[in-house]
Amino acid sequence: METQASYEYSRGVERSYDDKTLDAWLPITSSRNAKWWYSAFHNVTAMVGAGVLSLPYAMSNLGWGPGVTVMVLSWIITLYTLWQMVEMHEMIPGRRFDRYHELGQYAFGDKLGLFIVVPLQLIVEVGVDIVYMVTGGRSLKKFHDLVCDNNCKDIKLTYFIMIFASVHFVLSHLPNFNSISGVSLAAAVMSLCYSTIAWGASVDKGVAPDVDYGYRATTKVSTVFNFFNALGDMAFSYAGHSVVLEIQATIPSTPQKPSKAPMWRGVVVAYIVVALCYFPVAFIGYWMFGNKVDDNILLTLNKPTWLIAMANMFVVVHVIGSYQIYAMPVFDMIETVLVKRLRFKPTWYLRFIARNIYVAFTMFAGITFPFFGGLLGFFGGFAFAPTSYFLPCIMWLAIYKPRKFGMSWFANWICIVLGVMLMILAPIGGLRQIIISAKDYKFYS
């Protein structure tokens, strides 16, 4: 049978019955019948999220010149590194690297590969889910406040985060990537909708009468730290690399029809959508409001009330899908450890308990540390820069060994140098922003 041949090819080397049984149960490898458009909306859902709403704020800390340069460079570099990952997914005939850490192990060795990739990937995926808990809660609160028009009792952000989390206590039990494709499609559509509303409502509001395009900080020190933090915001906006191999793993592959062709088609479509969302929101939002824009542009826009309320609900739907996209590889790691290392049986109740504990953890972390802008900057630089900007380049150099001083060699080293600078500078600004926000913050308020 063709499907069986495809499956055997996708797994490559001889596998024991237990390994095959486990693969058929784990969320990343249990279903391999995705179409190319699944990859498109999975990638849109993974990319466009909380990050797009903070881009005008990032622009206000970078200024026009650096801001436009960083935006365009980030789009080009991360599209290039995504292409590398799609190509490396099945570079060895008869074998697929279904997970980021499997590619890392091939490039750097079994132990070093795990040590390098797994912590970074977990920081990205768990970090995103925590930030999305905060984003979902804040958007629900904004919707509530707009609809009530100050006539309702004030409800703490904590409770809105708990309401948002309650959805995930249900959705997290969908078994694999393909089972969340409907949620992901809705999320991708919502991202385009609320991005359009964000820049469209900004245009409708017009340029603020007292608009100022100078740096928002009043001191040189604050300006520099805010600049660093803004770099992290930009990096956060291109976070899809940590799940791209796992998304590609759901696409069927044979020697005649490898998965990289449909996957790349989906990635290109996704990146066109990303550009349509990111550039108008970032540039128009900053153009209209200057350095007075909030760290979430929908918080700056209050009128027309019905439209901004609707946009906030679109954000909620989108981050529901994004949360699931980033949670699925984490579930895969947790369930692999529980079954292979700790020898638990792969049962529905093991999955039920493990996934509920994870959702509860991200909810608790989001309630405890809802410093939205600082979280973006800190996580964006510390983990997103390696996974999206330069780790694929290092793997490419280690595996393919391109000719020294050739085009490929130079392109990869430019990405590595820029990515390392981003990784060093952005967390400094993000951590400072968190410390400043924490000064006046009361826990669980």
Side-chain angles (χ1 to χ4, degrees):
M1 290 176 65
E2 185 182 342
T3 54
Q4 181 63 23
S6 171
Y7 178 80
E8 289 301 329
Y9 166 75
S10 72
R11 296 315 305 151
V13 295
E14 293 264 341
R15 306 290 303 276
S16 71
Y17 173 77
D18 286 342
D19 280 348
K20 289 181 179 180
T21 304
L22 183 59
D23 275 353
W25 183 73
L26 290 172
I28 302 301
T29 48
S30 61
S31 180
R32 291 187 187 272
N33 57 4
K35 308 297 183 186
W36 73 264
W37 53 86
Y38 284 38
S39 117
F41 52 73
H42 280 329
N43 276 290
V44 170
T45 303
M47 287 278 185
V48 186
V52 67
L53 301 175
S54 72
L55 290 176
Y57 178 80
M59 287 288 296
S60 73
N61 286 316
L62 292 170
W64 277 116
V68 172
T69 303
V70 172
M71 280 283 295
V72 174
L73 269 180
S74 292
W75 191 87
I76 294 169
I77 289 172
T78 55
L79 180 58
Y80 172 64
T81 53
L82 257 183
W83 170 78
Q84 288 180 313
M85 296 193 73
V86 170
E87 287 290 315
M88 288 189 287
H89 178 83
E90 48 193 349
M91 68 184 116
I92 300 173
R95 183 177 178 185
R96 296 178 73 173
F97 296 107
D98 294 322
R99 299 162 179 88
Y100 205 145
H101 69 82
E102 290 176 7
L103 181 60
Q105 286 176 294
Y106 181 75
F108 307 124
D110 284 347
K111 287 188 177 179
L112 185 60
L114 277 178
F115 181 75
I116 291 173
V117 175
V118 171
L120 289 174
Q121 192 179 9
L122 280 174
I123 289 169
V124 170
E125 289 160 357
V126 178
V128 167
D129 282 344
I130 292 169
V131 170
Y132 282 172
M133 277 288 179
V134 179
T135 309
R138 285 185 67 170
S139 296
L140 279 173
K141 181 172 171 56
K142 182 69 174 177
F143 174 80
H144 171 268
D145 294 346
L146 284 168
V147 170
C148 283
D149 196 22
N150 298 320
N151 294 322
C152 302
K153 183 181 177 182
D154 186 51
I155 300 175
K156 293 178 182 179
L157 175 61
T158 295
Y159 296 121
F160 284 106
I161 293 174
M162 291 171 74
I163 292 167
F164 180 77
S166 65
V167 177
H168 297 292
F169 282 112
V170 177
L171 288 181
S172 290
H173 302 297
L174 291 170
N176 53 47
F177 256 124
N178 285 348
S179 66
I180 61 170
S181 56
V183 179
S184 185
L185 175 60
V189 172
M190 292 299 103
S191 67
L192 196 55
C193 291
Y194 72 70
S195 297
T196 305
I197 289 172
W199 67 260
S202 298
V203 170
D204 183 67
K205 202 164 187 177
V207 179
D210 58 343
V211 68
D212 182 3
Y213 300 117
Y215 290 116
R216 61 193 301 134
T218 54
T219 65
K220 285 185 178 179
V221 173
S222 294
T223 300
V224 170
F225 279 114
N226 286 351
F227 190 96
F228 292 166
N229 188 52
L231 292 175
D233 287 356
M234 294 285 187
F236 185 93
S237 303
Y238 294 95
H241 296 59
S242 65
V243 294
V244 70
L245 292 179
E246 287 81 356
I247 291 170
Q248 192 170 347
T250 65
I251 297 175
S253 185
T254 64
Q256 295 76 30
K257 293 183 178 180
S259 65
K260 65 182 180 181
M263 181 66 187
W264 178 241
R265 196 180 312 152
V267 167
V268 170
V269 170
Y271 254 69
I272 291 169
V273 175
V274 165
L276 292 174
C277 292
Y278 281 17
F279 295 127
V281 172
F283 302 152
I284 293 173
Y286 181 47
W287 179 27
M288 296 302 161
F289 301 111
N291 60 21
K292 297 292 190 295
V293 71
D294 288 297
D295 66 351
N296 179 335
I297 191 171
L298 292 182
L299 300 178
T300 310
L301 296 162
N302 286 309
K303 295 190 187 282
T305 303
W306 66 271
L307 188 65
I308 305 307
M310 187 168 66
N312 276 279
M313 281 312 296
F314 289 165
V315 173
V316 172
V317 174
H318 179 258
V319 293
I320 284 171
S322 292
Y323 182 100
Q324 290 301 316
I325 289 286
Y326 283 98
M328 201 57 76
V330 182
F331 295 153
D332 186 83
M333 287 187 202
I334 292 170
E335 289 162 16
T336 300
V337 170
L338 288 173
V339 175
K340 292 195 82 170
R341 294 283 178 87
L342 303 180
R343 302 295 181 185
F344 284 99
K345 288 184 179 179
T347 57
W348 70 266
Y349 50 84
L350 177 69
R351 178 169 279 173
F352 181 83
I353 294 167
R355 294 189 179 190
N356 277 345
I357 289 172
Y358 175 77
V359 174
F361 167 74
T362 54
M363 178 188 75
F364 177 74
I367 289 169
T368 309
F369 307 107
F371 314 124
F372 184 69
L375 284 174
L376 286 184
F378 184 73
F379 286 126
F382 186 70
F384 292 59
T387 54
S388 297
Y389 286 76
F390 68 86
L391 201 53
C393 296
I394 294 173
M395 292 178 179
W396 188 272
L397 291 173
I399 294 167
Y400 287 105
K401 296 179 174 59
R403 182 173 55 86
K404 269 191 178 182
F405 307 112
M407 183 71 76
S408 175
W409 187 88
F410 267 119
N412 283 293
W413 274 107
I414 289 168
C415 294
I416 291 167
V417 170
L418 293 175
V420 170
M421 288 171 61
L422 189 61
M423 182 184 73
I424 294 168
L425 298 177
I428 298 171
L431 190 59
R432 180 177 180 270
Q433 189 68 35
I434 292 171
I435 292 167
I436 291 171
S437 302
K439 279 183 180 177
D440 304 317
Y441 179 70
K442 294 178 181 177
F443 281 99
Y444 311 112
S445 59

